[in-house]
Amino acid sequence: MKKITGAEAILRSLKEEGVDTIFGYPGGAIMPIYDKMHKEDCSIKHILVRHEQGAAHAAQAYAQVTGKPGICFATSGPGATNLLTGITNANLDSIPTVFITAQVPSHLLGSDAFQETDMVSLSMPVTKWNYQVTKAEEIPEAIAKAFHFATTGRPGPVLLDITKDAQLNTLDYRYKKIKSIRSYNPVPKLKEDDLNEAVKMIKESRKPMLLAGHGILLSHGEKELLAFMEKTHIPTAVTLLGKSAIPEDNPWYVGMLGMHGNYAPNILTNEADLIIAAGMRFDDRVTGDLKRYAVKAKIIHVDIDEAELNKNVQADLPVNADIREFFKAITPRLNYKAGGEWLDEFEKLYKTEYEKVIQPECYPENGKIRSGEAIKMLSDKTKGEAIVVTDVGQNQMFAARYYDFKNPNSLITSGGLGTMGFGLPAAMGAQVGAPDKTVVLFAGDGGFQMTFQELGTIFQYNLPVKMMVLNNNFLGMVRQWQDLFMDKRYAETNMPTPDFPKLAGAFGIESHVVTSRENLETAIEDMLNSEGPYLLEVKIEKEANVFPMIYPGSAVDEIVLE
């Protein structure tokens, strides 16, 4: 053992956990860590963001594309509180992230010292685990615990708040990874009785439907899910965060659930006699009116987090288990195939949606450019192989609907929190995590303006993110609700925007604006063929709405097409 400072212990411990990238922003209280990082020529890459919220979103996206926890540094006070939106976002979407914030010296705690903020209390409701470190010798074990909690069971964000004196003082350093913690049992054991009952319920069903959520991707259970679908032919829909778990050309994939999801899976949720909910939490955007949800179905709900079972929807068979292990165990036991006539019902409703919604959105013959056609064209040009990052709003729903995802974890979006401004910093984090992949951002003009300072980070590290800003000079989704439910009273949603190409140019980023359909294809090709970062502003139909839509308070089978 060798005596080292707490700051050095933090960096060494992160290396022990395989960390190669940190997103952060320095400041007074965290300066000892940054000094040690610089002085020791630390092998961990640091990405200097332009705002701490950007670091949080970038770390989340990095985690999603790499499968490793995202790491984020911030100083005390405002630096730390600027992380809270990103921490909440990671918590609601179950993303493994480790946030390390600095704190004032321990002897000043509770004195309202300069830039002192009680981050443990503030972050407690939105972290899986948090802890304040006040002594250097606590650092190795605290970091080991942080990684264990963040990455096991249902993953999520953790926060370590480390006082400045703990960073400066010395300790006898020894690191030991944690494999288990007493009373913490993150992976429940799959019960034989649950498997047998699930097999029985599936065999007795005539109109089964599988709802695949984010848990499929978090458990790395895509292959097991596809094997189950291949054997049973059960029509399978996905939640927004379940998108990309299934290649969209799979014959038993029937689309996306939810408020702006596909027509067939929403309508037929109330015709199904069995619903298998796999790693999803029955979010209100999926269920609509709970009293009129899945009215004819028995429900098997499988989730690794016992707190999600019977929380929103009462299950006939709640199964507390890892979803990957569930599919791995149940598929060999089944000798069952769903009837072709049940699948035909999905196909008929899809044709209706295609004629009334998809065709006019993706292949319009006149008028202004539509978001759907721009996204579908880019999807075709990239063959569904890009990593797609979205902001929040209409751009998010259009991207989820019209990009044809081929690979797992290729949609990075803010699901549970719906954070405007998420897109640009997340795209930057995704590109850092997947440097050899094409990363495409779809953003509205409103959300893009919330965090466009991160263009500076993209420029500094020459991250070749392809940014498509869909500009309608509106807060589009809010305006849609004002259109539908507030008699077109567009209160504070009409938004003048900057000259986006000039804005990109100020950061040394190549850009272009397209206003006519005739130039759209060439503009998209130019963007994709560019070597570095590129911003393409697409002037779209100003008052276009996203359909289908389940109106607030409606049942899923009351989804409207126009």
Side-chain angles (χ1 to χ4, degrees), residues 32-207:
I33 302 175
Y34 277 87
D35 183 59
K36 187 59 66 173
M37 199 184 303
H38 181 75
K39 196 182 286 184
E40 299 294 323
D41 192 24
C42 179
S43 61
I44 300 176
K45 179 168 60 177
H46 181 272
I47 303 295
L48 176 63
V49 298
R50 298 307 186 263
H51 190 282
E52 291 88 355
Q53 181 181 341
H57 295 325
Q60 172 176 336
Y62 175 91
Q64 289 180 261
V65 301
T66 63
K68 301 189 294 185
I71 314 300
C72 194
F73 280 179
T75 197
S76 64
T81 58
N82 281 341
L83 294 177
L84 281 169
T85 296
I87 295 172
T88 308
N89 200 92
N91 186 56
L92 281 169
D93 290 351
S94 303
I95 308 299
T97 36
V98 176
F99 294 90
I100 294 179
T101 56
Q103 186 54 271
V104 301
S106 56
H107 71 277
L108 292 177
L109 289 173
S111 69
D112 292 333
F114 178 67
Q115 293 193 332
E116 180 192 1
T117 305
D118 185 355
M119 277 303 292
V120 170
S121 297
L122 282 174
S123 65
M124 191 173 291
V126 293
T127 51
K128 189 175 176 184
W129 179 75
N130 68 12
Y131 183 72
Q132 186 173 75
V133 176
T134 58
K135 297 178 180 178
E137 53 266 30
E138 295 180 296
I139 287 170
E141 184 179 6
I143 288 178
K145 282 184 177 179
F147 276 82
H148 186 67
F149 283 125
T151 58
T152 54
R154 180 181 182 173
V158 299
L159 181 137
L160 290 177
D161 192 50
I162 306 178
T163 60
K164 191 168 185 177
D165 54 317
Q167 300 169 48
L168 291 168
N169 291 339
T170 60
L171 70 152
D172 292 321
Y173 179 76
R174 175 185 291 163
Y175 194 80
K176 184 179 180 181
K177 289 187 180 182
I178 288 178
K179 295 182 179 179
S180 64
I181 294 175
R182 186 178 178 182
S183 79
Y184 172 61
N185 301 303
V187 183
K189 187 176 180 181
L190 181 59
K191 297 175 183 175
E192 190 73 16
D193 288 350
D194 287 343
L195 276 173
N196 292 334
E197 182 61 21
V199 169
K200 179 173 178 290
M201 290 172 72
I202 292 169
K203 286 182 175 178
E204 290 175 353
S205 69
R206 294 294 173 266
K207 293 185 175 183

Side-chain angles (χ1 to χ4, degrees), residues 249-537:
D249 57 359
N250 184 289
W252 300 287
Y253 173 72
V254 295
M256 184 174 74
L257 300 158
M259 181 174 279
H260 294 290
N262 292 105
Y263 193 52
N266 280 301
I267 290 279
L268 294 176
T269 292
N270 276 3
E271 291 298 319
D273 63 6
L274 176 69
I275 284 179
I276 305 166
M280 54 89 74
R281 57 189 178 88
F282 290 112
D283 178 81
D284 61 288
R285 288 294 172 103
V286 164
T287 64
D289 181 3
L290 281 169
K291 294 178 182 177
R292 294 181 287 163
Y293 179 76
V295 290
K296 299 178 182 178
K298 291 183 178 179
I299 294 176
I300 301 170
H301 188 185
V302 187
D303 203 285
I304 199 167
D305 185 354
E306 190 174 14
E308 293 296 343
L309 301 174
N310 297 321
K311 185 176 82 173
N312 295 328
V313 172
Q314 289 294 309
D316 297 273
L317 178 61
V319 180
N320 185 206
D322 181 280
I323 192 63
R324 180 184 180 189
E325 296 306 314
F326 175 80
F327 281 127
K328 191 185 291 186
I330 199 170
T331 301
R333 300 174 184 227
L334 285 167
N335 184 18
Y336 171 90
K337 278 187 171 56
E341 63 280 1
W342 175 228
L343 276 167
D344 289 343
E345 291 189 42
F346 287 88
E347 183 64 27
K348 288 175 187 174
L349 290 172
Y350 173 77
K351 287 178 179 177
T352 300
E353 181 183 355
Y354 185 86
E355 291 170 6
K356 292 191 174 182
V357 178
I358 298 172
Q359 187 170 30
E361 178 63 39
C362 293
Y363 308 103
E365 295 179 359
N366 49 50
K368 287 272 192 180
I369 299 171
R370 308 281 297 193
S371 292
E373 70 175 305
I375 290 164
K376 183 67 173 72
M377 187 177 290
L378 197 147
S379 176
D380 292 343
K381 296 289 182 186
T382 56
K383 300 179 181 178
E385 299 282 350
I387 293 173
V388 170
V389 184
T390 82
D391 208 86
V392 167
Q394 289 183 322
N395 67 89
Q396 178 186 37
M397 294 297 103
F398 280 124
R401 285 181 54 80
Y402 299 123
Y403 193 90
D404 297 321
F405 297 92
K406 295 290 190 296
N407 302 315
N409 293 305
S410 57
L411 173 63
I412 311 298
T413 195
S414 172
L417 195 60
T419 305
M420 284 184 69
F422 172 84
L424 183 59
M428 144 184 117
Q431 190 73 80
V432 171
D436 298 326
K437 292 278 190 179
T438 298
V439 174
V440 176
L441 166 68
F442 295 115
D445 51 293
F448 191 82
Q449 289 183 81
M450 284 191 167
T451 51
F452 72 69
Q453 69 271 7
E454 297 307 335
L455 288 171
T457 309
I458 288 171
F459 164 70
Q460 180 177 348
Y461 297 97
N462 194 30
L463 301 172
V465 178
K466 312 308 178 192
M467 298 163 275
M468 182 183 284
V469 179
L470 300 162
N471 187 0
N472 57 8
N473 292 110
F474 263 122
L475 297 178
M477 188 62 85
V478 184
R479 183 213 52 78
Q480 177 166 337
W481 281 53
Q482 291 171 332
D483 179 6
L484 297 173
F485 311 122
M486 296 179 181
D487 198 26
K488 295 183 183 288
R489 292 187 297 276
Y490 297 155
E492 299 301 325
T493 48
N494 198 336
M495 178 181 282
T497 57
D499 185 323
F500 286 113
K502 282 186 179 179
L503 183 66
F507 291 96
I509 293 172
E510 193 176 355
S511 60
H512 186 66
V513 59
V514 59
T515 59
S516 65
R517 180 165 292 112
E518 293 74 22
N519 299 325
L520 180 62
E521 184 172 7
T522 300
I524 288 175
E525 288 174 349
D526 288 346
M527 176 177 72
L528 292 174
N529 290 332
S530 65
E531 291 186 6
Y534 195 105
L535 187 150
L536 177 62
E537 179 186 3

Side-chain angles (χ1 to χ4, degrees), residues 11 13 22 104 218 423:
L11 297 173
S13 299
I22 297 165
V104 301
L218 293 172

